[in-house]
């Protein structure tokens, strides 16, 4: 990853508090585990049936039977538990996840999330993201601030098929940390080397700016 995205993932890792049960979604969120110390007291959950996930491993060191929901090779930690997908989603649906970190194609200023389908492109289906977004106690998103064409991914309203309504609490991008508040997007922090006008221009909806200069990460 670029240094900017690495800083973003490292900043997102600080969102995890000791004792949490956390699901890391496919894509950028799976990289968060690389920024947690080996002895950090957290229970990482993957919807394909594992609670208690250790570091991601290269293929030559991995047990090929142990993968996360995105297909990456993972390891276990003392106390890891294996279960079927019905049990895994029972944990999700019953609200036992303190936090889920998801990727996104678009996020609306009201907290709507679109992260499963771009019309005209193949998608295997909405998958577990629809329930993670609805049922986790807190949902945060890790995403690029704009798409490859430079179009904002943080928008006044999502134009893509929704995963869930009004579910996103915080967004981490390579440019900024942004909360979803009653008035829409609220700037919390900015990345080092990024200016306020750049963040405003890259955001496709009005951005509430704090009176005091935002911290940097």
């Amino acid at each position: 990853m670029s240094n900017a995205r690495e800083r973003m993932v490292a900043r997102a890792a600080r969102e995890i508090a000791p004792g949490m049960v956390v699901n890391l979604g496919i894509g950028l969120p799976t990289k968060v585990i690389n920024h947690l110390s080996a002895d950090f007291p957290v229970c990482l959950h993957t919807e394909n049936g594992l609670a208690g996930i250790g570091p991601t491993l290269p293929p030559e060191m991995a047990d090929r039977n142990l993968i996360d929901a995105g297909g990456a090779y993972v390891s276990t930690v003392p106390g890891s538990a294996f279960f079927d997908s019905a049990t895994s989603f029972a944990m999700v649906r019953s609200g036992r996840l303190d936090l889920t970190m998801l990727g996104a194609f678009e996020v609306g200023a009201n907290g709507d999330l679109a992260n499963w389908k771009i019309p005209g492109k193949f998608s295997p289906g909405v998958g577990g993201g629809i329930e993670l977004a609805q049922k986790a106690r807190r949902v945060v998103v890790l995403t690029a601030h704009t798409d490859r064409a430079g179009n904002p991914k943080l928008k006044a309203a999502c134009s893509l098929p929704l995963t869930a309504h009004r579910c996103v609490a915080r967004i981490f991008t390579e440019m900024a940390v942004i909360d979803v508040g009653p008035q829409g997007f609220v700037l919390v922090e900015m990345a080092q080397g990024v200016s306020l006008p750049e963040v405003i221009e890259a955001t496709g909806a009005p951005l509430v700016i704090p009176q005091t200069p935002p911290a940097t990460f």
Side-chain angles (χ1 to χ4, degrees):
M1 291 191 296
S2 68
N3 287 338
R5 288 201 173 189
E6 194 73 49
R7 289 199 305 271
M8 170 185 66
V9 174
R11 172 60 186 87
R14 289 162 43 199
E15 194 79 357
I16 299 175
M20 278 186 169
V21 179
V22 181
N23 179 281
L24 301 178
I26 296 171
L28 284 171
T30 61
K31 308 296 184 185
V32 168
I33 194 171
N34 299 323
H35 295 274
L36 299 174
S37 63
D39 60 351
F40 190 82
V42 63
C43 178
L44 298 178
H45 166 276
T46 178
E47 56 265 36
N48 59 322
L50 174 60
I53 302 172
T56 304
L57 299 175
E60 64 273 12
M61 296 177 60
D63 178 340
R64 301 298 181 91
N65 294 308
L66 296 181
I67 60 171
D68 63 17
Y73 294 119
V74 296
S75 58
T76 57
V77 296
S80 294
F82 300 94
F83 33 82
D84 61 20
S85 59
T87 301
S88 183
F89 278 96
M91 294 171 64
V92 176
R93 292 167 186 157
S94 59
R96 285 174 165 78
L97 296 183
D98 296 299
L99 174 70
T100 188
M101 295 185 162
L102 299 173
F105 297 142
E106 293 178 345
V107 180
N110 65 346
D112 283 356
L113 172 65
N115 76 345
W116 75 277
K117 184 175 179 63
I118 297 177
K121 295 187 177 182
F122 171 77
S123 170
V126 68
I130 190 169
E131 298 200 62
L132 291 165
Q134 291 178 350
K135 299 298 186 181
R137 296 173 186 170
R138 181 171 171 82
V139 177
V140 303
V141 161
L142 282 74
T143 183
H145 211 100
T146 61
D147 64 19
R148 294 180 181 179
N151 301 308
K153 297 178 73 173
L154 281 61
K155 307 177 70 172
C158 293
S159 60
L160 297 175
L162 292 185
T163 306
H165 286 284
R166 299 180 180 273
C167 61
V168 178
R170 174 166 283 188
I171 306 156
F172 297 92
T173 79
E174 77 282 9
M175 299 183 76
V177 179
I178 293 173
D179 279 349
V180 177
Q183 295 177 299
F185 294 133
V186 180
L187 182 63
V188 178
E189 297 177 17
M190 293 196 307
Q192 297 177 21
V194 175
S195 69
L196 181 56
E198 288 174 325
V199 176
I200 294 172
E201 183 178 0
T203 305
L207 189 61
V208 178
I209 310 299
Q211 292 183 349
T212 58
T216 59
F217 65 93

